[in-house]
Amino acid sequence: MRKIIRIILIMLLVTLILIQFIRPPKNISTGIGVNDITTKYDIPGDIEHILKTSCYDCHSNNTSYPWYWQIQPVTWFMNGHIKDAKRGLNFSTFASYNIRKQYKSFDNINKEVKNGDMPLTSYTLIHRDAILNDTQKLAIANWAAISRKEIENHYPPDSLKSNKPNGE
């Protein structure tokens, strides 16, 4: 029995060592791209700072990686989380979204932050500086509401409504 356990432990160790060499590409871009949210919408400095501290690691094309990202399988977990987050909202490509998606995204930002659903608790457990206080939540919610109102002022109401039953 001891021999079987020893073989299993050795195989596990070898597997853990081998997976260290399988790495997904990093989510890092240089500079602000032409489709970055800042190219289309006015973002006050305090809001931009909050977004970069609490949102951009997952919701942009520029993640600031912690030391533990170097350890597999943490790398795979984080990479999958970032890909999922960017599918829902990517500030680096926001200006390329159709106007309906931009409109809906501002509404989602408002609701998610107000409800405390973002940033995720799993993120703020380690990134304590990303925790939003009530003032920051209100500031982001107000900015998102104002940005949404700007869209309403420039586009006909029908162009902002979804034809899909779930509102996407």
Side-chain angles (χ1 to χ4, degrees):
M1 184 67 166
R2 290 179 123 202
K3 189 173 183 175
I4 293 173
I5 292 173
R6 185 173 178 209
I7 290 171
I8 291 172
L9 288 174
I10 289 171
M11 288 174 48
L12 181 61
L13 179 63
V14 168
T15 302
L16 285 172
I17 290 170
L18 289 176
I19 66 172
Q20 300 309 309
F21 297 101
I22 304 168
R23 302 212 166 267
K26 283 188 170 183
N27 182 47
I28 295 178
S29 62
T30 55
I32 295 174
V34 295
N35 290 316
D36 192 86
I37 191 170
T38 59
T39 64
K40 188 167 182 178
Y41 294 97
D42 181 40
I43 305 176
D46 59 330
I47 301 298
E48 188 172 4
H49 176 74
I50 295 167
L51 293 176
K52 286 184 177 179
T53 302
S54 300
C55 310
Y56 271 45
D57 273 351
C58 298
H59 293 284
S60 79
N61 290 342
N62 203 9
T63 300
S64 175
Y65 289 96
W67 66 268
Y68 52 84
W69 185 82
Q70 298 296 330
I71 302 166
Q72 294 290 22
V74 173
T75 306
W76 294 333
F77 172 76
M78 286 180 61
N79 189 57
H81 180 78
I82 291 166
K83 281 184 176 181
D84 288 345
K86 286 173 42 176
R87 256 192 298 278
L89 172 66
N90 186 343
F91 289 112
S92 298
T93 61
F94 194 91
S96 69
Y97 295 171
N98 67 49
I99 198 62
R100 182 179 296 136
K101 185 171 181 180
Q102 290 178 28
Y103 184 72
K104 179 79 173 151
S105 293
F106 280 123
D107 188 43
N108 289 340
I109 291 167
N110 185 327
K111 288 176 184 173
E112 299 260 340
V113 170
K114 270 187 188 174
N115 294 339
D117 295 333
M118 283 290 161
L120 294 176
T121 304
S122 60
Y123 183 77
T124 59
L125 283 173
I126 296 170
H127 301 90
R128 305 304 291 167
D129 60 332
I131 296 172
L132 300 174
N133 62 40
D134 290 341
T135 304
Q136 291 171 316
K137 288 178 184 179
L138 184 61
I140 291 174
N142 287 342
W143 165 74
I146 289 167
S147 298
R148 195 164 193 254
K149 192 69 173 164
E150 285 177 20
I151 292 172
E152 289 174 357
N153 292 337
H154 289 94
Y155 292 90
D158 289 347
S159 69
L160 304 177
K161 293 180 182 172
S162 175
N163 298 331
K164 297 179 183 178
N166 64 359
E168 288 183 15

